[in-house]
Amino acid sequence: MKFSIITPAYNMDRWISGTIESVLTQEGDFDIEYILADGGSTDNTVNIFEEYRSRLERGEIPVRCNSIVMKSFSEKDKGTSDAINKGFAQATGDIYS
């Protein structure tokens, strides 16, 4: 089973690390597709997400489930629900959250 987890964000660099870490530490017999739906942040939100993705791909972050794939996009949106809907449109999981 694959879970697609979408995090909508806009200028959230102060809080995004905690959110990412809560996803990356999930444990169980499932796959995770983690999508950052960024609304065009002007801070380091996307850079922080991409650094975590690089660390994950280099094997520096332990994976406690079957697999984790991180994806992101950054574009203007019409708010949180629009960002989430854009994330759902890209999601390929069996279950979305």
Side-chain angles (χ1 to χ4, degrees):
M1 176 174 306
K2 178 168 47 169
F3 290 91
S4 292
I5 300 171
I6 292 89
T7 296
Y10 180 75
N11 289 341
M12 301 294 288
D13 66 358
R14 292 178 57 198
W15 303 278
I16 197 69
S17 290
T19 303
I20 295 167
E21 289 174 15
S22 74
V23 172
L24 298 182
T25 58
Q26 296 305 302
E27 188 172 335
D29 185 20
F30 50 80
D31 301 291
I32 294 175
E33 173 185 52
Y34 186 28
I35 301 171
L36 176 71
D38 181 75
S41 292
T42 57
D43 64 2
N44 286 314
T45 300
V46 175
N47 293 336
I48 292 167
F49 186 88
E50 291 302 321
E51 178 58 30
Y52 274 94
R53 177 176 27 196
S54 293
R55 289 177 52 211
L56 179 70
E57 290 174 354
R58 290 191 306 262
E60 297 172 6
I61 298 173
V63 175
R64 299 178 175 127
C65 59
N66 297 336
S67 69
I68 302 175
V69 174
M70 296 176 72
K71 303 174 182 180
S72 68
F73 63 89
S74 183
E75 61 189 37
K76 281 196 163 196
D77 57 44
K78 297 174 185 162
T80 303
S81 60
D82 186 37
I84 291 169
N85 287 332
K86 287 179 177 185
F88 284 160
Q90 293 190 18
T92 62
D94 303 306
I95 299 174
Y96 304 164
S97 81

